[in-house]
Amino acid sequence: MAPQYEIRADYDARTIVVYQAYAPAIADAALRAGRFVAPFSFQRMTWIKPSFMWLMHRSNWGRKAGQERVLAVRMTREGWEEALSQAVLTTSDPAAVAQAAVHVQWDPERSPRGAALNHYSIQVGVGRHLIRTFTDDWVVGLTDLTPQVRKAATLMQTGQAAKAQRLVPPERAYPLPRALERRLASGG
């Protein structure tokens, strides 16, 4: 059984993958440039999610309006951990949340069919004061997962869940430094 609050992600020694879903215009411009550019908004918080299944739930497998394109955003672990070091849980004092550069919330992890599971996934909101650092310094690559997501969604709809599961990126427990683990431990 998974711990109730644990970051599970696709990562290597230097980077971690987080997921986002965008409108086609934003995704196309970013993929062409190899980084986030307009019409991506640098003026508002952007939410990043290391849980692929949670994003599939949130975007309805890339079928929600404005979330039709699913991107894997590879960022440095150093940036990820820097963001977490500045995070305030959204369940904290409202004044602290309002001042925070980064918001963190824990939401129930999801099954491939969207059912809430008994453990939580982290969602990280990078605030507008850190957006340029995120896009220019921390992001090292963008991959369009939309075709893979569409294929997996079709397999799920046609009762081929095992085949769909093979298209889901692998995730394992992310080894947080102790100080960050304590900072995020209350989970909400």
Side-chain angles (χ1 to χ4, degrees):
M1 182 179 215
Q4 192 170 18
Y5 297 97
E6 177 181 66
I7 297 172
R8 287 168 300 284
D10 179 5
Y11 63 91
D12 59 28
R14 200 175 74 74
T15 64
I16 181 171
V17 176
V18 294
Y19 302 98
Q20 294 184 291
Y22 290 106
I26 295 170
D28 289 341
L31 291 164
R32 270 193 308 274
R35 61 189 186 89
F36 288 107
V37 296
F40 177 87
S41 175
F42 294 95
Q43 304 306 314
R44 64 184 202 99
M45 183 170 284
T46 190
W47 287 87
I48 57 178
K49 303 148 185 75
S51 168
F52 180 81
M53 290 312 305
W54 200 90
L55 183 65
M56 293 305 94
H57 166 71
R58 177 73 176 86
S59 70
N60 191 22
W61 291 85
R63 290 185 291 242
K64 275 192 183 170
Q67 297 183 33
E68 302 91 344
R69 298 290 296 283
V70 176
L71 300 183
V73 179
R74 187 166 291 277
M75 66 183 288
T76 66
R77 284 177 62 171
E78 181 180 344
W80 170 250
E81 292 175 15
E82 175 61 27
L84 294 178
S85 77
Q86 296 185 47
V88 171
L89 292 168
T90 57
T91 55
S92 297
D93 173 59
V97 174
Q99 297 296 321
V102 177
H103 294 176
V104 162
Q105 65 187 49
W106 292 92
D107 295 308
E109 179 60 283
R110 299 295 172 155
S111 74
R113 297 207 183 278
L117 300 177
N118 291 326
H119 56 277
Y120 293 81
S121 289
I122 196 168
Q123 322 307 317
V124 178
V126 179
R128 66 176 185 248
H129 300 295
L130 272 182
I131 288 284
R132 289 285 181 182
T133 302
F134 168 70
T135 61
D136 297 347
D137 300 338
W138 298 344
V139 173
V140 297
L142 302 171
T143 304
D144 186 2
L145 296 184
T146 308
Q148 179 178 331
V149 166
R150 289 190 179 137
K151 184 174 182 180
T154 298
L155 289 168
M156 288 296 298
Q157 288 176 324
T158 58
Q160 299 177 69
K163 285 184 180 179
Q165 190 63 39
R166 288 194 287 265
L167 296 172
V168 172
E171 295 172 0
R172 64 191 194 281
Y174 184 87
L176 274 180
R178 264 298 168 223
L180 288 179
E181 195 173 290
R182 281 191 299 274
R183 180 179 188 85
L184 304 171
S186 66

